[in-house]
Amino acid sequence: MPFRLEKLLSLRQKEEEALKNELNKVRVEIRRMEEEIEEVKNSKRFTEEQLRTGVQTGAQVAFLMYLIHMYDEHLKKLNLKLSNLRKIEEETLRAYLEKRTERRSFEKLKERYLRAQLMEADRKERIIIDEVALQKYIRNLEGQVRE
């Protein structure tokens, strides 16, 4: 008799794998966002260094200050996106861990079921062996009585 919850186990495995893939995608996106933030910070530092040199005209200084302001605005947006991605990562991780726990529960049930099936088969085999041994013993007794 096959394990009656096999389809549920298979479904849980597929759901777990889908969440794992989604979690990996989110983590890749987080790394990409962190790299972009670092690039923007480096560009902002470079612009600030140019501003500190003091060899620019008034219009150039105003432009560099505008660039720095734009970098700050862009960094705020990127950090907000990163924060949202981290929330998505947490939610996805939580869902993944729940599915993994469910799958493991089904696997344990399946292991117990298979162990019980093996024990039952072993018990039936022992009964058959005992019956064969008993019949052989009875035949031997009957043979001794005739002699």
Side-chain angles (χ1 to χ4, degrees), residues 46-76:
F46 180 73
T47 305
E48 288 171 340
E49 287 296 320
Q50 285 181 326
L51 188 61
R52 285 191 195 105
T53 60
V55 290
Q56 295 84 13
T57 64
Q60 289 173 333
V61 168
F63 179 70
L64 291 176
M65 301 256 315
Y66 173 75
L67 275 178
I68 291 171
H69 174 72
M70 293 307 293
Y71 283 132
D72 287 337
E73 291 298 315
H74 190 55
L75 281 171
K76 284 179 189 175

Side-chain angles (χ1 to χ4, degrees), residues 24-42 73-89:
N24 286 335
K25 287 178 187 176
V26 170
R27 287 180 172 167
V28 165
E29 185 65 23
I30 286 173
R31 279 192 291 282
R32 191 189 65 72
M33 191 63 60
E34 288 171 341
E35 289 170 2
E36 187 175 345
I37 288 171
E38 194 57 38
E39 288 175 16
V40 171
K41 284 180 179 180
N42 288 338
E73 291 298 315
H74 190 55
L75 281 171
K76 284 179 189 175
K77 289 178 184 175
L78 290 176
N79 282 321
L80 182 60
K81 285 181 183 178
L82 181 61
S83 176
N84 289 335
L85 283 171
R86 291 196 190 277
K87 286 178 187 174
I88 291 170
E89 178 190 29

